[in-house]
Amino acid sequence: MSNSDTLARLAAVIESRKVANGGDPEKSYVARLLHKGPDAFLKKIGEEATETVMAAKDLDHGGDKTKLVGEVADLWFHSMIALAHYGLKPADVVNELARREGLSGLEEKALRKAVDRERLGE
């Protein structure tokens, strides 16, 4: 099984935890976060992002690589909850990464800025 299969399976579990799909906030951490709304899961994303940065900085001083992997996993997981809330899937992110593949970071950033300016009518 591929990694995208793992992401798709996890996304399906998160989707099933939505209260509208029978998720019980009393029995499921994901259902509880989704039930509390964006402030709850966005706060968790911020916390996990900070913990990811701290774990990476620790690696510069002999820290454990598995700690960084665990923190990134937590960050991805909570980001997947946000995606589900907004009707998106991990495949949407993978497709965006594929779209950017082959573009230099500077080209991609310039293209994004041009699209944003066009959208804002500048």
Side-chain angles (χ1 to χ4, degrees):
M1 292 199 191
S2 74
N3 291 335
S4 61
D5 291 339
T6 301
L7 290 175
R9 283 193 311 277
L10 181 54
V13 169
I14 291 170
E15 194 66 30
S16 76
R17 298 298 195 266
K18 288 181 175 180
V19 176
N21 295 334
D24 183 350
E26 297 296 318
K27 296 180 180 173
S28 165
Y29 172 73
V30 172
R32 188 175 318 129
L33 280 179
L34 288 166
H35 178 69
K36 287 182 177 180
D39 285 350
F41 57 77
L42 295 175
K43 179 180 178 187
K44 284 300 297 180
I45 290 171
E47 290 171 6
E48 299 303 343
T50 299
E51 290 171 7
T52 297
V53 170
M54 290 169 33
K57 296 288 257 172
D58 286 347
L59 283 178
D60 292 329
H61 305 285
D64 182 1
K65 288 182 179 184
T66 61
K67 178 77 171 154
L68 177 58
V69 170
E71 294 302 343
V72 171
D74 290 345
L75 178 59
W76 285 14
F77 176 76
H78 289 90
S79 296
M80 288 176 66
I81 293 172
L83 289 171
H85 175 79
Y86 294 109
L88 298 164
K89 299 193 177 317
D92 297 312
V93 177
V94 172
N95 290 339
E96 176 60 13
L97 291 171
R99 184 191 69 76
R100 295 179 184 187
E101 190 175 19
L103 290 178
S104 78
L106 296 176
E107 288 172 326
E108 196 282 327
K109 187 174 180 179
L111 182 61
R112 226 179 327 129
K113 283 185 175 183
V115 168
D116 287 345
R117 279 195 303 273
E118 186 176 300
R119 192 184 58 205
L120 295 173
E122 295 178 357

